[in-house]
């Protein structure tokens, strides 16, 4: 009852009451009564007196240092040294900051410590409950998740890295480097103190300054905004003063760069670079003074509205201040990179570890806008620690420079290194002309760059949902973060632009508002972000996926339409600049910054309509010959046409472009709903939820075309919460409504990938292209030197060996890739074995074990597992593609055998069990396909070649493993040939399952042999043998994970 009273109950409006002391006393009482040995406990519970009757503690955050939960000073007073202030009077705090200055002085002591033990003593030294360590270890999630977006961004990046981990659901129990994620700063400090290369006092001090003190300073700045917003500015503590104390410390001379303060550290970094006109420290002094004045203004606010407005203005200034603080991080990253590459004139003593430190401080910020580049950089710099040359230095620096926008900084802010030479890549801002090429569209005005970054808002929102920091996610939705509104000093937000201003789109918005039957399109994004109403009982990953889809197809869809009609109005009024600006905005918020400049955009990045169309064409295999969405190609072409009409005041023709783009976007909505409807099921509530979101996005358009179409969809797709109930029923009726809509809107059926226009009732688009019709084997075709005689005609499957030979013996990778992707003489391409796996094998245990073992990331747009930046369900295709991209044909050749074909055989074996269970004799045949694929996939030959190297002699014409596999395939075939009895018996079905399991075990043994041979041959073979070892590790290690040996799996995965 004490715990319940002081920690609250769930769910309610006050989950954590924060009565820590009485809870710990209650736990001590429990320890005593249960005779638990205090020495076994890792928390200091036993120091609390179980006989003390401590009253409940009411949390009051106003007197606590953010991130510590500890009172800064039992009785804070006005600063007694206001005449001198900080930095020799450059900043005069209004409150007592002595405690913080003492903490920063301890960093100087650590920098001069002779041993790690001495440094650790200063690190943990506490005064009034606060230490350098507690700046990290005492952070409270319930505070940081509401106030500091930057800290949560770092958490997301570190968790998302190769060093991050979580439970099997993809989000619970987040870890970094084997420790809880929240106090990541202390984890990094501990790693630095205990590193194998030994103790380095200056590096330890700098690490603490950045991961603990620099971070604590950001928390103080954002806490000031929270106090301003919540009306808590009348407390005796001023967080801006605390932030200033963290930056200046006890330093008094503004001209010295010696010492351990952040001010001195920034000065040293700046001395290595030229270009930033005012300098980081000068800009920091100006911004801290400005924020101090803003905070005072919050105290004088006349009411809640004025206070809220001032808080938003203050938040923009805090964001900019932190961007300035980021500049020295990037400068030191560049300096460290140059140092490890051997091209800097001033090398660091422990340069590898400095490279690690500054990578940890810079790379997580990139994860929000480009997770693939983040993963690549993390692997190269922190995991593989590749030897850097002038070439790799230039490539790495260019990747980081191109993503300065992710960090909120510019090339001019960072400046030019004094070590810069010919090999250094040029860093050029778009500031001279803020026009970013958008996937083939060239804007005419200077606003497109800013507006295109609205997709970074969405990316950050989704990251925060997955991190379970929903207050911060909601704040970005409502108040923005990446698109500056220069007219009022705030940001444009998604919530501020989705409400239309033009009459044409207002009519559509009214229809959104009028939807009933449990549908509420205007609030679905916010509900998903906040986890309320229909999303109250769903997981963070599902809420993130729902929010991603809703933001793109509802909020940003409306904003795109409204921007186009604003351009039309300005065109009619002969305001060319304004019309061009609105038209560029429409293109920017349809395509987005993350898609890049290349035609067709990115295959994986982006969060707007453009990316949804791309993903759908990949799902339905309906992309053009370059792998791009046909709809996207037309959208970009029409934006280009429309810009010409704007510039020549051809407003009628501009209306035609608007209509064309609107219709193309509606075609995406059709495919989107068709896709999620198709795969929604009782066991897949993710697709069911996304079908519900998709329906919300399209029903107003259906209703405008024909009300009965909208009524049908709303009746067939329903969601209720508490408990979650998601229903998608009568797919034929839904598809029929979509088909009628396509006809009414004159949407070109050739643009659709879902085959809504021509699909037979009840037929799946995937199955319609892939179902096998078995016929009898009348040709006498045999397998395995005549040892296996198929019952059905599988002669075409035997052609697989010719396809594989075409890959393995190709004269170049282009020819190999063509055979891999396009050759379908067996009825499908080898590539499609992997792409179709997520549909064909979605309920098969072994396939899902491989997906689970290999996934290294979670797609926050749909909650699915990712591997190397691509869907984990397509792991085989991803690995083969990497080999072909690297022009390593022999590795690609082996990949198709041990990944694609091997798993497709397993699928056929599982299908054979299913066919036997269904008991329809004319549908038997999968076991014959499995036998044929073992031979035509050249795995039979592989086993023959490997056997002698492991002492396996010939057994009646074949090696041991092949003999075991072929004999069991023959035994399995008997179950199907005896159509009258075997497959009708449940006992027999169990026997077939045992045989199939044994076949897979022997097939696995062949893979293990291949892995061992690759490792044995590696030291004395070509450099590509290392690729072979890695490939075979991907093929074998997931089987170890499937046995439950996760620790062994991760150990081997890291080594191999």
């Amino acid at each position: 009852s004490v715990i319940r009273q002081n920690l609250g109950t769930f769910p309610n409006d006050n989950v954590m009451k924060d009565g820590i002391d009485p809870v710990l006393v209650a736990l001590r009482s429990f320890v005593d009564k249960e005779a638990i040995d205090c020495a076994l406990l890792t928390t200091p519970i036993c120091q609390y007196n179980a006989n003390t009757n401590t009253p409940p503690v009411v949390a009051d955050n106003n007197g606590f240092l953010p991130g510590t939960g500890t009172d800064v000073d039992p009785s804070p007073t006005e600063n007694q040294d206001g005449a001198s202030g900080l930095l020799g009077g450059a900043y005069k705090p209004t409150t007592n900051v002595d405690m913080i200055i003492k903490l920063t002085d301890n960093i100087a002591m650590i920098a001069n410590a002779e041993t790690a033990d001495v440094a650790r003593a200063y690190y943990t030294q506490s005064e009034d409950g606060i230490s350098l360590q507690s700046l990290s270890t005492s952070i409270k999630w319930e505070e940081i998740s509401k106030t500091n977006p930057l800290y949560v961004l770092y958490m997301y990046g570190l968790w998302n890295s190769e060093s991050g981990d979580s439970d099997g659901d993809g989000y619970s129990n987040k870890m970094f480097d084997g420790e809880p994620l929240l106090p990541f700063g202390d984890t990094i400090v501990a790693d630095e103190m205990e590193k194998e290369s030994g103790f380095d006092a200056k590096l330890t001090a700098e690490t603490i300054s950045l991961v603990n003190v620099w971070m604590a300073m950001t928390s103080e700045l954002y806490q000031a905004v929270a106090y301003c917003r919540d009306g808590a500015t009348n407390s005796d503590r001023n967080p801006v003063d605390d932030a200033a104390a963290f930056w200046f410390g006890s330093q008094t001379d503004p001209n010295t760069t010696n010492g351990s303060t952040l001010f001195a550290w920034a000065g040293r970094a700046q001395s290595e670079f030229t270009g930033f006109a005012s300098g980081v420290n000068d800009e920091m002094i100006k911004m801290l003074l400005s924020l101090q004045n803003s905070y005072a203004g919050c105290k004088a606010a006349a009411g809640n509205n004025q206070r809220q407005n001032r808080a938003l203005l203050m938040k923009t200034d805090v964001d900019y201040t932190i961007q300035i603080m980021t500049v020295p991080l990037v400068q030191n990253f560049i300096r460290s990179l140059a140092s490890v590459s051997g091209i800097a004139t001033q090398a660091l003593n422990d340069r590898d570890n400095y490279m690690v430190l500054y990578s940890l401080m810079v790379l997580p910020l990139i994860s929000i806008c480009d997770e693939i580049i983040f993963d690549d950089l993390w692997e190269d710099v922190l995991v593989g620690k590749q030897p850097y040359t002038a070439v790799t230095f230039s490539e790495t620096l260019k990747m980081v420079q191109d993503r300065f926008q992710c960090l909120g900084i510019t090339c001019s802010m960072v400046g030019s290194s004094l070590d810069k030479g010919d090999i250094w890549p040029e860093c050029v801002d778009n500031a001279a002309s803020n026009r970013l090429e958008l996937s083939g569209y060239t804007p005419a005005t200077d606003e497109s760059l800013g507006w295109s970054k609205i997709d970074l808002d969405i990316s950050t929102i989704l990251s925060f949902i997955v991190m379970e920091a929903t207050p911060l996610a909601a704040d970005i939705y409502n108040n923005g973060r990446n698109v500056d509104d220069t007219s009022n000093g705030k940001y444009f937000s998604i919530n501020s632009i989705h409400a239309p201003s033009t009459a044409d789109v207002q009519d559509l918005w009214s229809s959104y508002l009028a939807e009933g039957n449990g549908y509420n399109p205007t609030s679905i994004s916010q509900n998903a972000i906040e986890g309320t109403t229909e999303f109250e009982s769903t997981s963070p990953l599902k809420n993130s996926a729902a929010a991603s889809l809703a933001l793109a197809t509802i909020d940003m869809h409306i904003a795109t339409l409204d921007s186009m009609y604003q351009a039309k109005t300005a065109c009619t009024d002969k305001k060319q600049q304004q019309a061009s600006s609105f038209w560029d905005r429409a293109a920017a918020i349809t395509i987005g910054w993350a898609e890049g400049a290349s035609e067709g955009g990115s295959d994986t990045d982006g969060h707007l309509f453009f990316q949804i169309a791309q993903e759908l064409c990949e799902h339905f295999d309906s992309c053009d010959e370059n792998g791009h969405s046909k709809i996207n190609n037309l959208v970009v072409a029409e934006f280009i046409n429309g810009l010409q009409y704007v510039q020549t005041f051809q407003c009628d023709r501009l209306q035609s472009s608007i209509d064309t783009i609107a219709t193309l976007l509606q075609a995406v909505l059709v495919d989107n709903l068709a896709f999620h409807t198709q795969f929604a099921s009782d066991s897949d509530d993710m697709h069911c939820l996304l079908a519900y979101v998709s329906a919300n996005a399209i029903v107003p358009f259906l209703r405008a075309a024909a009300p009965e179409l909208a009524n049908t969809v709303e009746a067939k797709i329903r969601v209720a919460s508490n408990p979650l109930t998601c229903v998608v029923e009568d797919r034929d009726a839904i598809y029929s409504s979509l088909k009628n809509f396509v006809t009414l809107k004159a949407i070109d059926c050739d643009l659709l990938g879902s085959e809504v226009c021509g699909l037979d009732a009840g037929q799946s688009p995937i199955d319609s292209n892939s179902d096998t019709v078995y016929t009898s084997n009348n040709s006498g075709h045999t397998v395995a030197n005549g040892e296996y005689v198929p019952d059905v005609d599988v002669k075409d499957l035997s052609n697989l060996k010719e396809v594989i030979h075409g890959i393995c013996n190709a004269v170049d990778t282009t020819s190999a890739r063509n055979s891999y992707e396009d050759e379908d003489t067996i009825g499908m391409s080898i590539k499609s074995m992997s792409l179709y796996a997520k549909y064909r094998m979605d309920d098969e245990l072994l396939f899902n074990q491989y997906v689970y073992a290999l996934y290294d990331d979670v797609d926050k747009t749909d909650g699915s597992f990712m591997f190397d930046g691509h869907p984990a369900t397509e792991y085989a295709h991803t690995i083969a593609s990497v080999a072909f991209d690297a022009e390593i044909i022999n590795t690609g050749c082996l990949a198709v055998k041990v990944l694609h074909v091997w798993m497709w055989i397993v699928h056929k074996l599982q299908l054979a069990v299913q066919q036997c269970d269904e008991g329809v004799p004319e549908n038997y045949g999968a076991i014959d396909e499995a036998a044929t694929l073992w031979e035509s996939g050249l795995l039979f030959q592989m086993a023959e070649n490997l056997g002698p190297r492991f002492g396996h002699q010939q057994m009646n014409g074949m090696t041991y493993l092949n003999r075991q596999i072929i004999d069991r395939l023959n035994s399995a075939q008997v179950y199907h040939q005896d159509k009258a009895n075997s497959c009708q018996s449940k006992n027999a079905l169990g026997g077939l399952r045992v045989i199939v399991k044994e076949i897979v075990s022997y097939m696995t043994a062949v893979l293990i042999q291949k892995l061992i041979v690759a490792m044995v041959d590696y030291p004395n073979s070509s450099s590509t043998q290392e690729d072979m070892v890695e490939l075979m590790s991907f093929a074998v290690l997931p089987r170890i994970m499937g046995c439950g040996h996760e620790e062994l799996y991760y150990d081997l995965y890291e080594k191999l």
Side-chain angles (χ1 to χ4, degrees):
S1 62
V2 170
I3 292 173
R4 185 185 184 109
Q5 178 184 4
N6 287 281
L7 290 187
T9 56
F10 184 83
N12 66 13
D13 294 331
N14 187 16
V15 179
M16 296 295 289
K17 298 179 182 177
D18 210 18
I20 300 298
D21 286 342
V23 169
L24 293 178
V25 170
L27 289 176
R28 169 63 191 268
S29 175
F30 176 74
V31 166
D32 289 344
K33 291 180 179 179
E34 293 297 321
I36 296 173
D37 185 354
C38 288
L40 297 177
L41 302 179
T42 58
T43 52
I45 290 174
C46 291
Q47 73 184 32
Y48 290 86
N49 188 346
N51 297 318
T52 301
N53 184 18
T54 307
V57 177
V58 179
D60 180 5
N61 295 335
N62 292 345
F64 290 89
L65 184 67
T68 65
T70 307
D71 205 331
V72 176
D73 191 318
S75 55
T77 60
E78 291 296 310
N79 180 39
Q80 301 301 311
D81 195 21
S84 59
L86 301 175
L87 197 67
Y91 182 99
K92 296 182 179 180
T94 60
T95 52
N96 192 314
V97 293
D98 291 346
M99 184 72 66
I100 294 174
I101 292 175
K102 290 179 182 178
L103 285 180
T104 62
D105 286 343
N106 280 347
I107 294 177
M109 303 303 292
I110 292 171
N112 292 288
E114 294 184 359
T115 66
D117 288 339
V118 173
R120 191 174 291 107
Y122 281 113
Y123 178 60
T124 58
Q125 180 177 309
S126 175
E127 294 190 33
D128 293 330
I130 304 176
S131 66
L132 289 169
Q133 183 184 42
S134 71
L135 295 178
S136 173
T137 57
S138 295
I139 289 174
K140 294 181 179 179
W141 175 247
E142 58 269 24
E143 293 176 7
I144 212 78
S145 63
K146 295 176 182 177
T147 57
N148 190 342
L150 189 80
Y151 195 90
V152 179
L153 287 180
Y154 270 95
M155 289 181 64
Y156 177 79
L158 295 173
W159 167 63
N160 228 19
S161 72
E162 195 169 324
S163 302
D165 198 6
S166 60
D167 289 345
D169 59 11
Y171 67 92
S172 298
N173 193 27
K174 296 180 180 70
M175 308 285 283
F176 171 67
D177 199 21
E179 300 293 335
L181 177 62
L182 183 62
F184 65 80
D186 185 60
T187 299
I188 294 171
V189 171
D191 286 347
E192 146 50 30
M193 286 187 178
E194 299 164 8
K195 65 183 186 298
E196 292 182 4
S197 60
F199 174 66
D200 182 328
K202 287 183 171 53
L203 177 59
T204 297
E206 195 155 331
T207 301
I208 295 169
S209 290
L210 300 182
V211 299
N212 285 10
V213 177
W214 190 95
M215 285 291 176
M217 182 178 173
T218 68
S219 290
E220 291 296 308
L221 291 173
Y222 281 116
Q223 186 68 72
V225 175
Y227 281 2
C228 179
R229 180 194 63 220
D230 299 336
T233 53
N234 291 322
S235 69
D236 292 322
R237 188 169 77 83
N238 184 335
V240 179
D241 288 349
D242 294 342
F246 276 128
W247 187 261
F248 299 121
S250 59
Q251 184 167 337
T252 57
D253 183 357
N255 297 314
T256 182
T257 58
N258 297 322
S260 300
T261 65
L262 289 173
F263 184 91
W265 161 78
R268 289 193 296 273
Q270 183 178 330
S271 69
E272 300 286 334
F273 286 77
T274 61
F276 192 10
S278 61
V280 167
N281 276 325
D282 289 342
E283 197 74 2
M284 285 298 297
I285 294 172
K286 183 183 80 173
M287 290 308 301
L288 287 169
L289 290 172
S290 175
L291 288 170
Q292 188 183 45
N293 289 332
S294 296
Y295 193 74
C298 283
K299 288 187 175 183
N304 182 63
N305 289 339
Q306 189 178 70
R307 189 176 67 247
Q308 295 291 326
N309 184 63
R310 291 183 179 180
L312 291 176
L313 291 170
M314 192 174 182
K315 178 171 176 276
T316 305
D317 285 343
V318 166
D319 287 342
Y320 175 69
T321 304
I322 293 174
Q323 289 163 8
I324 298 300
M325 293 168 58
T326 304
V327 169
L329 296 177
V330 176
Q331 290 172 334
N332 277 289
F333 174 88
I334 294 172
R335 182 169 179 260
S336 298
L337 183 64
S339 179
V340 297
S341 302
I343 61 177
T345 58
Q346 187 178 9
L348 299 167
N349 292 331
D350 198 0
R351 56 190 186 182
D352 287 342
N353 286 311
Y354 275 97
M355 184 75 254
V356 169
L357 171 61
Y358 283 102
S359 296
L360 289 170
M361 293 302 296
V362 171
L363 298 187
L365 298 176
I366 296 176
S367 67
I368 289 297
C369 62
D370 197 330
E371 294 192 11
I372 293 178
I373 292 298
F374 166 72
D375 289 338
D376 290 344
L377 289 170
W378 189 280
E379 170 65 30
D380 291 344
V381 179
L382 289 169
V383 180
K385 295 183 180 178
Q386 65 173 354
Y388 273 90
T389 64
V391 174
T392 54
F393 164 78
S394 180
E395 292 173 348
T396 302
L397 180 54
K398 181 62 175 172
M399 283 193 287
V400 175
Q401 287 174 342
D402 288 347
R403 286 150 188 86
F404 276 178
Q405 292 286 342
C406 307
L407 283 64
I409 62 177
T410 62
C411 297
S412 59
M413 291 169 69
V414 174
S416 180
S417 171
L418 297 179
D419 294 314
K420 184 176 180 180
D422 294 339
I423 64 169
W424 289 59
E426 285 297 321
C427 189
V428 180
D429 289 327
N430 289 314
S433 177
N434 289 333
R435 304 174 192 180
L436 178 72
E437 191 86 6
L438 295 165
S439 301
Y441 175 80
T442 303
T445 62
D446 291 346
E447 297 184 24
S448 55
L449 175 60
W451 279 108
S452 69
K453 292 191 292 183
I454 197 75
D455 64 352
L456 298 185
D457 272 9
I458 296 179
S459 178
T460 309
I461 288 170
L462 304 184
S463 300
F464 286 174
I465 295 174
V466 174
M467 293 301 296
E468 301 176 79
T470 53
L472 290 175
D475 179 68
I476 295 175
Y477 175 75
N478 291 316
N479 301 311
R481 179 173 173 82
N482 289 286
V483 183
D484 293 325
D485 184 355
T486 55
S487 66
N488 61 20
K490 302 176 187 176
Y491 300 109
F492 286 108
S493 70
I494 296 173
N495 195 33
S496 69
I497 65 172
H498 76 176
S501 60
T502 57
D504 298 87
V505 189
Q506 283 174 345
D507 290 342
L508 174 63
W509 189 246
S510 297
S511 64
Y512 271 96
L513 294 170
E515 283 302 325
N517 302 319
Y519 276 54
N520 191 3
T522 59
S523 63
I524 195 167
S525 294
Q526 191 151 0
N527 292 346
I529 290 169
E530 297 177 353
T532 58
T533 315
E534 60 265 71
F535 304 102
E536 183 178 3
S537 304
T538 50
S539 72
L541 287 180
K542 291 174 182 175
N543 290 349
S544 173
S548 175
L549 191 58
L551 289 168
T553 58
I554 298 177
D555 298 74
M556 298 314 301
H557 187 189
I558 292 296
T560 295
L561 295 175
D562 195 47
S563 294
M564 290 194 296
Y565 276 101
Q566 284 178 305
K568 169 72 180 304
T569 301
C571 178
T572 303
D573 294 340
K574 302 296 183 181
K575 298 178 180 178
Q576 185 187 83
Q577 180 69 19
Q578 190 179 65
S580 297
S581 177
F582 281 126
W583 192 254
D584 284 347
R585 178 198 296 187
I589 63 179
T590 302
I591 300 170
W593 180 87
E595 295 290 347
S598 302
E599 291 187 12
S602 166
D603 291 339
T604 56
D605 295 326
H607 300 281
L608 301 174
F609 239 113
F610 206 79
Q611 184 60 209
I612 291 176
Q614 180 62 34
E615 291 178 358
L616 286 170
C617 88
E618 292 172 359
H619 283 310
F620 290 117
D621 198 19
S622 61
C623 305
D624 68 11
E625 62 277 7
N626 296 315
H628 301 151
S629 162
K630 298 173 185 176
I631 292 179
N632 280 345
N633 294 340
L634 294 174
V635 167
V636 171
E638 206 56 50
F639 270 123
I640 293 172
N641 291 338
L643 185 58
Q644 294 175 344
Y645 303 147
V646 164
Q647 294 175 330
T648 55
F649 294 117
Q650 299 182 68
C651 304
D652 290 341
R653 299 186 72 177
L654 179 62
Q655 180 63 56
S656 176
S657 290
I658 294 173
D659 293 340
T660 298
I661 293 171
T663 299
L664 291 169
L665 297 183
Q666 289 170 27
V668 176
L669 295 182
V670 170
D671 261 354
N672 191 47
L673 179 56
F675 172 71
H676 292 297
T677 297
Q678 176 189 338
F679 295 106
S681 66
D682 293 338
S683 61
D684 192 346
D685 57 356
M686 175 67 82
H687 276 297
C688 188
L689 279 172
L690 296 184
Y692 170 72
V693 175
S694 303
N696 271 270
I698 199 173
V699 286
F701 297 95
L702 298 178
R703 191 170 303 284
E708 65 273 13
L709 304 182
N711 294 337
T712 297
V713 169
E714 289 179 342
K716 303 303 181 183
I717 303 176
R718 307 183 301 278
V719 169
S721 61
N722 201 24
L724 173 67
T725 304
C726 185
V727 177
V728 175
E729 59 187 8
D730 197 354
R731 291 170 177 79
D732 290 345
I734 297 169
Y735 270 61
S736 177
S737 294
L738 292 177
K739 182 176 181 179
N740 289 334
F741 176 73
V742 167
T743 302
L744 291 170
K745 299 296 291 185
I747 295 174
D748 185 354
C749 289
D750 290 338
L751 296 176
L752 300 177
S754 59
E755 301 185 29
V756 162
C757 295
L759 203 61
D760 293 336
Q763 186 182 42
S764 160
I766 297 298
D767 292 343
S768 66
N769 295 324
S770 309
D771 279 342
T772 302
V773 178
Y774 298 113
T775 58
S776 297
N777 176 18
N778 298 320
S779 65
H781 177 72
T782 63
V783 173
N785 302 323
E787 292 274 349
Y788 185 95
V789 181
D791 188 46
V792 301
D793 184 7
V794 290
K795 192 172 182 179
D796 286 345
L797 275 183
S798 64
N799 294 327
L800 178 61
K801 66 178 64 176
E802 302 304 325
V803 179
I804 296 177
H805 282 314
I807 296 172
C808 301
N809 301 325
V811 295
D812 54 43
T813 51
T814 300
S815 301
R817 190 186 293 274
N818 289 340
S819 296
Y820 167 72
E821 293 182 348
D822 301 329
E823 185 56 63
D824 59 357
T825 54
I826 65 170
M828 65 188 309
S829 67
I830 294 179
K831 172 185 174 181
S832 63
M833 287 182 178
S834 176
L835 299 188
Y836 283 175
K838 58 188 169 187
Y839 308 116
R840 292 290 192 159
M841 308 181 201
D842 63 330
D843 59 350
E844 294 180 13
L845 177 62
L846 192 59
F847 172 72
N848 282 290
Q849 285 178 341
Y850 270 73
V851 171
Y852 175 72
L854 292 175
Y855 94 91
D856 54 23
D857 199 358
V858 175
D859 187 345
K860 56 195 175 189
T861 65
D862 62 11
S864 63
F865 288 158
M866 303 290 287
F867 169 68
D868 199 22
H870 300 276
T873 53
E874 299 174 8
Y875 68 87
H877 172 59
T878 299
I879 294 169
S881 295
V882 169
F884 292 135
D885 289 343
E887 299 187 353
I888 309 175
I889 294 177
N890 59 346
T891 303
C893 163
L894 181 60
V896 301
K897 300 174 191 177
V898 300
L899 298 178
H900 298 68
V901 177
W902 191 91
M903 186 58 73
W904 200 253
I905 294 171
V906 174
H907 163 61
K908 290 298 181 180
L909 292 170
Q910 299 298 330
L911 184 60
V913 175
Q914 180 182 332
Q915 290 174 347
C916 187
D917 187 30
E918 291 172 351
V920 182
E922 57 268 26
N923 287 343
Y924 298 161
I927 198 68
D928 292 344
E929 291 178 306
T932 304
L933 288 168
W934 182 250
E935 181 182 62
S936 64
L938 302 184
L939 291 167
F940 181 92
Q941 187 60 49
M942 182 185 294
E944 289 297 297
N945 295 338
L946 290 168
R949 298 192 63 171
F950 291 84
H952 288 173
Q953 304 302 318
Q954 292 284 304
M955 294 181 64
N956 299 324
M958 60 188 71
T959 59
Y960 170 76
L961 290 179
N962 272 333
R963 172 52 59 194
Q964 303 305 316
I965 291 169
I966 297 301
D967 284 353
R968 281 163 176 77
L969 286 168
N970 276 310
S971 297
Q973 188 189 45
V974 171
Y975 283 88
H976 295 85
Q977 288 177 333
D978 187 3
K979 298 172 183 175
N981 299 306
S982 293
C983 279
Q984 306 299 318
S985 167
K986 291 185 178 179
N987 291 333
L989 185 63
L992 179 60
R993 287 196 175 100
V994 171
I995 291 173
V996 164
K997 183 177 180 180
E998 291 176 352
I999 292 172
V1000 173
S1001 295
Y1002 285 112
M1003 288 169 57
T1004 303
V1006 176
L1007 299 182
I1008 294 173
Q1009 286 183 341
K1010 187 65 177 177
L1011 171 60
I1012 294 172
V1013 167
M1015 291 190 292
V1016 170
D1017 290 348
Y1018 168 56
N1020 301 313
S1021 188
S1022 66
S1023 60
T1024 58
Q1025 196 65 29
E1026 182 179 358
D1027 299 315
M1028 294 293 188
V1029 173
E1030 185 176 28
L1031 168 61
M1032 291 312 304
S1033 300
F1034 288 136
V1036 171
L1037 297 188
R1039 297 287 281 134
I1040 295 175
M1041 171 76 86
C1043 294
H1045 302 295
E1046 290 195 26
E1047 188 172 336
L1048 176 61
Y1049 167 82
Y1050 287 119
D1051 185 40
L1052 290 172
Y1053 189 94
E1054 182 177 352
K1055 292 176 179 177
L1056 296 174

